[in-house]
């Protein structure tokens, strides 16, 4: 018996376009992001999905709602599925950060450590897999969190610094005998016209 988790990144925001760090900032989808969310929702139509979860941030919630409407579920939100907290860096581009915080340690800027985010992601997703054992669920989250989880599951072979997770990219994981297996990473076929 295995559990299937479809881990989906939220649709595009204006801050994604401007390459601004979002973190815990609650930025809504832009027009393109809403279109992506509709397309990923249609992608799940006809799939047997037992539950839909999302980060409580608007960009993830709205994406998840489009999926939930197509599979006959409601969306449950969890703060543990949020993006990494970037503290004082949120709203800035990497170029702006280099100028403003050139010699400052990340922890002095209120940034969550990578390890803390990775542990938070693993704990949240494992708890959901246990709760829905033998079923299929969709979880809508954020690129940094998804990549950190992928990094942990593959022992650093994929994920942070290696793998790109596009807006509404779908990554599929199986949870079998308390072990995670990677099935698909960053499937964006639903965005092709």
């Amino acid at each position: 018996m295995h559990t299937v988790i479809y881990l989906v990144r939220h649709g595009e925001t204006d801050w994604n376009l401007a390459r601004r760090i979002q973190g815990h900032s609650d930025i809504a989808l832009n027009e393109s992001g809403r279109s992506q969310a509709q397309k990923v929702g249609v992608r799940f139509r006809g799939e047997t999905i037992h539950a839909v979860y999302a980060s409580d941030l608007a960009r993830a919630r709205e994406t998840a709602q489009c999926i939930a409407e197509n599979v006959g579920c409601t969306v449950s939100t969890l703060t543990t599925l949020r993006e990494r907290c970037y503290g004082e860096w949120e709203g800035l581009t990497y170029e702006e950060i280099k100028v403003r915080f050139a010699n400052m340690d990340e922890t002095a800027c209120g940034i969550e450590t990578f390890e803390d985010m990775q542990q938070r992601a693993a704990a949240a997703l494992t708890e959901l897999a246990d709760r829905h054992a033998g079923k299929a669920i969709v979880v809508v989250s954020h690129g940094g969190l998804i990549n950190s989880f992928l990094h942990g599951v593959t022992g650093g072979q994929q994920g942070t610094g290696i793998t790109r997770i596009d807006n509404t990219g779908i990554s599929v994981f199986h949870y079998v005998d308390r072990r995670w297996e990677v099935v698909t990473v960053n499937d964006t076929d639903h965005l092709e016209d």
Side-chain angles (χ1 to χ4, degrees):
M1 181 170 75
H2 68 275
T3 306
V4 179
I5 292 191
Y6 295 92
L7 195 47
V8 180
R9 184 182 177 200
H10 62 79
E12 184 185 79
T13 69
D14 286 340
W15 281 20
N16 287 143
L17 272 182
R19 301 190 53 77
R20 295 195 176 280
I21 294 178
Q22 295 178 110
H24 285 194
S25 297
D26 203 7
I27 310 303
L29 299 178
N30 61 20
E31 187 175 337
S32 176
R34 285 188 289 278
S35 173
Q36 292 168 342
Q38 291 293 328
K39 289 177 181 178
V40 78
V42 170
R43 154 64 180 83
F44 283 98
R45 192 177 290 162
E47 295 278 345
T48 301
I49 302 295
H50 298 92
V52 177
Y53 290 88
S55 152
D56 65 327
L57 298 175
R59 56 195 185 269
R61 280 194 336 264
E62 189 175 347
T63 304
Q65 187 59 43
C66 290
I67 296 169
E69 289 168 0
N70 280 280
V71 298
C73 290
T74 58
V75 178
S76 299
T77 59
L78 297 170
T79 58
T80 51
L81 297 172
R82 281 185 174 193
E83 180 61 281
R84 182 179 182 186
C85 177
Y86 278 96
E88 294 179 48
W89 289 11
E90 293 186 13
L92 302 176
T93 65
Y94 283 103
E95 293 74 26
E96 291 169 336
I97 290 164
K98 285 178 192 171
V99 172
R100 290 190 199 182
F101 301 99
N103 298 313
M104 286 186 72
D105 185 83
E106 285 188 6
T107 54
C109 297
I111 298 172
E112 179 180 19
T113 68
F114 174 80
E115 292 77 15
D116 284 350
M117 174 187 57
Q118 189 176 54
Q119 289 171 8
R120 173 166 57 85
L125 292 167
T126 300
E127 194 278 327
L128 290 176
D130 285 338
R131 185 185 305 174
H132 298 281
K135 298 190 173 164
I137 66 171
V138 173
V139 176
V140 180
S141 188
H142 307 267
L145 184 131
I146 295 167
N147 254 329
S148 76
F149 179 68
L150 184 59
H151 188 271
V153 167
T154 64
Q157 297 298 305
Q158 296 181 67
T160 307
I162 300 163
T163 308
R164 178 175 171 82
I165 304 293
D166 294 307
N167 291 112
T168 68
I170 303 167
S171 298
V172 183
F173 297 84
H174 288 175
Y175 188 63
V176 186
D177 297 327
R178 303 210 53 82
R179 284 188 4 261
W180 288 99
E181 298 173 359
V182 180
V183 180
T184 305
V185 176
N186 196 35
D187 175 4
T188 56
D189 286 353
H190 53 278
L191 298 179
E192 295 176 10
D193 291 327

